[in-house]
Amino acid sequence: MRPQHLLSAALFLAQAVPHEASQHCSRLEYWNPDNLCCGSCLQRFGPPPCPDYEFSENCGLNDFGDHVMHPFKECPRGQCNPDLAELCSFCGSGTRAPTPEGSRQRCGEALLTFALPLVLVLLVTSAAILLFALKRHSPYLPYPGSNTSGGSLVTSEAELPNLASQPLSRLLDELEVLEELIVLLDPEPGPGGALACGTTRHLAAKYGLPASWSTFAYSLRPSHSPLRALIEMVVAREPSASLGQLGTHLAQLGRADALQVLSKLA
């Protein structure tokens, strides 16, 4: 079965799940049961990841905070969204031509991550963890300006395996650890360009998010942390994402300081 057929089947099954519209919020908002107020779908998930897709109603969340359908869905027949707006609009003379079939196919293949189990990602993560364990004596290049005193990138053999068994969503509940990581990873390079790599922007690229998403996420500061937005996006897109995968990405970026903070959850 071709990838676009798999995506169509997955979206059909997802839409078949009963979805009651929010009793509190508008179509482009979701109800946050923690602080009892409506939040913006755009602020939480960023713009649609591909042309000719739009937000699902209430970004696929019910009033209990559960994901009952995917945050994004394909435009209805006769509508387009070439500019990645929140909603599709009718394809008229003032709108660019619909996305070519080849581009739509590639976009559909990317959106499979919303619909299918990420078995391959888990296998790659496990292989990366094993590789770090085998090469624990190999030298790592530290991130410029990071504090590596007190340990190397992997402070013990047991840390990464322990993190691999824990969901990434746990980080959203461990606010003290999350705040420490925000302080380390959210800052952008200064005028001198001393911190040239290893920020949340580069971490987002490791998770396959486009540069436009990072630009949007950073535009929300200081009211919303780009790192928190990234974690929420990854958890929504990949429920099986683990802390071990995050640790692997931090190690690849040379962020020994952030990896040591993350190891508090091991």
Side-chain angles (χ1 to χ4, degrees), residues 132-149:
F132 278 112
L134 293 175
K135 295 187 176 182
R136 61 186 181 277
H137 298 300
S138 299
Y140 291 93
L141 294 177
Y143 173 74
S146 64
N147 179 14
T148 58
S149 61

Side-chain angles (χ1 to χ4, degrees), residues 69-141:
M69 60 191 305
H70 303 302
F72 304 101
K73 65 178 182 178
E74 193 171 2
C75 291
R77 183 179 297 275
Q79 296 189 21
C80 306
N81 188 13
D83 299 319
L84 306 183
E86 295 175 88
L87 293 176
C88 302
S89 57
F90 288 103
C91 305
S93 58
T95 306
R96 295 201 300 268
T99 306
E101 182 62 28
S103 298
R104 293 175 69 88
Q105 178 177 342
R106 290 192 297 271
C107 187
E109 291 173 356
L111 286 175
L112 283 174
T113 53
F114 286 112
L116 300 177
L118 299 178
V119 176
L120 180 59
V121 173
L122 293 176
L123 292 176
V124 172
T125 302
S126 300
I129 292 172
L130 178 60
L131 181 62
F132 278 112
L134 293 175
K135 295 187 176 182
R136 61 186 181 277
H137 298 300
S138 299
Y140 291 93
L141 294 177

